[in-house]
Amino acid sequence: MNHIPEGKDMKPTYENFTATCPWCDQENIFNRASDLKDSAPSDHRDVNCLNPACSKPFYLMGDLINPAYEMMIWDCYELRERKHYSYCILNLAQAFEVFFSQYLLIRLLYKSFGSDQDKDINKLNELINLLYKKTARLSFSNMRNLFFSCVLNPVEPTSLADAERTIQQFPDDPPWPPCPSDADIRIANISADTRIRDLLLRLKYCGAPTLRNQVVHQRAYRPTLREVDDALKETREILFVLPMALGVVSDDINSYSGDDRGIL
């Protein structure tokens, strides 16, 4: 029986999985979408060396299971090392947007699906598409304000029908939900976790989105290492804590099934 060896120097990122071929020692960069054709994390994945002169099989292991927003933050360390400071800022701002989307998906759909008696997977997929349609055109500030609105005015749908009514109420056009005042955040009766109000205030004034606007618009601003380090530290202090405080850390629907057997 031919033994298929393990790749060397394996490093997974949000978009790619890099590994050195154990046969020819060439570095391989496998893009998850184009080469692996699957973005799901995997404990073991058989691949072939991308070097045409080799093409021998080996396997990848040690993939990341972090939610997407965390992987985008971790990717910043390699970008920082390579001094791609603008891309660091873009990643950090996008990490916030991805977290907002994950929160809405879990809060409105995964949790209601877990408590729904019917467990209609087709209806769930229909509402996932509806939620995406309702939020696809939102700017960063509008998406953030929708997130604020859902956190500060808790809606706890217990079925997909309840969730659908909530999502249908999201506006298709302006006016979008306004940004809450500091006072509204401070007096909000959110939960017993007192960290949430402080984290929401930090989120309201965090620097990465403002820097991102300077980077992508007419100025094409080049951020400094100090600005990147400050934004990276602030983003980590918010996004590595707030999801835990809100109970939405995992992006796996089975974490919200209320059943040890899971959903899917």
Side-chain angles (χ1 to χ4, degrees):
M1 179 181 297
N2 292 329
H3 174 66
I4 298 179
E6 174 185 327
K8 300 188 296 184
D9 303 322
M10 290 177 287
K11 183 170 66 175
T13 66
Y14 180 69
E15 277 198 281
N16 301 319
F17 203 125
T18 303
T20 299
C21 174
W23 302 100
C24 70
D25 285 328
Q26 176 166 306
E27 181 184 66
N28 286 250
I29 302 176
F30 298 97
N31 181 268
R32 293 183 186 273
S34 297
D35 299 314
L36 302 180
K37 295 181 171 51
D38 184 2
S39 60
S42 175
D43 289 334
H44 181 110
R45 188 186 298 272
D46 292 332
V47 295
N48 291 89
C49 179
L50 298 177
N51 177 6
C54 177
S55 300
K56 291 183 179 179
F58 61 95
Y59 68 89
L60 306 175
M61 62 177 297
D63 204 354
L64 297 174
I65 60 171
N66 305 63
Y69 65 86
E70 285 190 5
M71 294 178 72
M72 290 176 177
I73 295 172
W74 291 123
D75 283 357
C76 287
Y77 287 93
E78 181 173 350
L79 292 171
R80 179 188 182 279
E81 182 179 344
R82 295 178 178 273
K83 301 187 178 182
H84 293 310
Y85 299 150
S86 294
Y87 291 106
C88 281
I89 297 301
L90 297 180
N91 262 38
L92 294 175
Q94 187 178 8
F96 281 108
E97 292 181 314
V98 170
F99 167 67
F100 300 151
S101 295
Q102 177 175 309
Y103 173 83
L104 295 174
L105 182 65
I106 293 169
R107 178 73 173 273
L108 299 177
L109 295 179
Y110 284 4
K111 289 189 175 183
S112 59
F113 184 79
S115 58
D116 199 309
Q117 296 298 313
D118 294 334
K119 297 288 190 295
D120 186 342
I121 190 67
N122 291 324
K123 187 64 175 178
L124 173 64
N125 288 330
E126 175 189 325
L127 293 184
I128 289 173
N129 289 332
L130 175 63
L131 179 61
Y132 175 77
K133 180 181 178 182
K134 285 281 190 174
T135 58
R137 296 187 297 113
L138 296 187
S139 65
F140 178 94
S141 60
N142 287 329
M143 191 69 175
R144 181 202 59 191
N145 294 347
L146 179 59
F147 165 77
F148 278 143
S149 178
C150 290
V151 174
L152 298 175
N153 305 285
V155 177
E156 298 288 353
T158 57
S159 68
L160 290 179
D162 287 344
E164 182 172 17
R165 284 189 286 270
T166 299
I167 297 170
Q168 289 287 12
Q169 292 174 5
F170 292 171
D172 291 315
D173 297 296
W176 310 109
C179 185
S181 68
D182 293 2
D184 287 338
I185 294 175
R186 290 192 179 99
I187 65 174
N189 184 20
I190 302 170
S191 75
D193 195 330
T194 58
R195 295 176 300 175
I196 295 177
R197 286 183 287 272
D198 291 338
L199 289 164
L200 293 179
L201 285 168
R202 294 194 67 184
L203 171 60
K204 180 178 176 180
Y205 296 105
C206 68
T210 301
L211 271 175
R212 191 268 297 271
N213 289 340
Q214 296 178 33
V215 168
V216 300
H217 294 311
Q218 291 93 335
R219 289 185 61 193
Y221 180 69
R222 298 182 181 95
T224 65
L225 175 59
R226 176 64 180 273
E227 288 173 317
V228 166
D229 284 345
D230 288 347
L232 182 53
K233 179 176 183 291
E234 183 178 48
T235 302
R236 287 190 54 169
E237 290 174 351
I238 297 171
L239 286 187
F240 285 178
V241 182
L242 184 56
M244 183 167 47
L246 293 172
V248 293
V249 174
S250 174
D251 57 359
D252 181 358
I253 189 172
N254 293 304
S255 300
Y256 308 97
S257 67
D259 186 337
D260 292 338
R261 295 171 299 177
I263 295 172
L264 301 175

